[in-house]
Amino acid sequence: RAPVPDFRGMMHGASRWKDFSTADHLALELDAAWEQPKEEGNKRLKEGDHLGAAKLYRDAALLAMGPLEGGAIHAFISALEAWPEGSAQRQFVENEDLLWTSLVERLPVQHTQRDMQLPDGGSWTAKFPNKGAAVAWANRAQALLLAGAPDRGLR
């Protein structure tokens, strides 16, 4: 009589895909600079400075989102546009080709979405999870709840 094969080990291997996390995988590519303000926010939260912690968590989230999605590049461009007409700063920002090739193309931008074409001619956009931003925004909401500002936590 032949022994009955034990499929338990094979079944575990077949379900390993469930352990994969896209957010964890993408977090490896993320600039870890967001972690410093998050850790400082954790300290402030423990000290009872809820509003100070919320500000640091916001900073951490914006860093985790990157310069484009987090808005840092837009703030930089707005600052350059505020310079007087004819200044070197204003000329730089008004030359879109120069701005794009010398600055924007070199920004550390993580993969945040994937656009796919559908058979019917439409398109579908998948936003990838950003674990760092999610953690920081959740921590900010918690800090604002503790500070008695729940409405601010929703923004």
Side-chain angles (χ1 to χ4, degrees):
R1 181 168 193 197
V4 177
D6 182 4
F7 292 108
R8 288 177 289 188
M10 289 175 57
M11 295 309 290
H12 172 70
S15 65
R16 283 191 336 203
W17 65 271
K18 294 179 184 177
D19 297 333
F20 179 77
S21 166
T22 301
D24 288 340
H25 176 74
L26 292 174
L28 299 175
E29 296 179 18
L30 190 64
D31 182 359
W34 72 275
E35 293 176 4
Q36 191 275 328
K38 181 189 77 79
E39 291 303 321
E40 184 63 31
N42 291 346
K43 289 178 191 171
R44 296 267 182 98
L45 191 68
K46 287 177 185 172
E47 294 168 357
D49 180 6
H50 302 130
L51 292 177
K55 183 194 177 314
L56 287 162
Y57 290 141
R58 178 185 177 278
D59 293 347
L62 294 176
L63 281 171
M65 292 168 68
L68 286 177
E69 195 174 351
I73 190 63
H74 305 293
F76 177 70
I77 289 171
S78 293
L80 291 177
E81 289 173 338
W83 282 80
E85 191 75 36
S87 66
Q89 295 84 349
R90 186 74 175 264
Q91 289 176 16
F92 174 70
V93 78
E94 288 173 351
N95 185 335
E96 291 182 18
D97 292 336
L98 179 62
L99 178 69
W100 191 264
T101 58
S102 62
L103 182 66
V104 177
E105 285 184 353
R106 290 169 170 64
L107 291 173
V109 178
Q110 68 265 16
H111 304 289
T112 59
Q113 69 184 42
R114 179 178 173 202
D115 297 317
M116 294 171 272
Q117 295 301 313
L118 299 175
D120 67 359
S123 65
W124 186 66
T125 300
K127 294 278 286 176
F128 295 137
N130 184 325
K131 187 176 183 177
V135 166
W137 286 124
N139 287 359
R140 177 181 181 269
Q142 175 196 17
L144 289 170
L145 285 171
L146 292 170
D151 290 342
R152 286 183 55 202
L154 296 174
R155 288 185 256 141

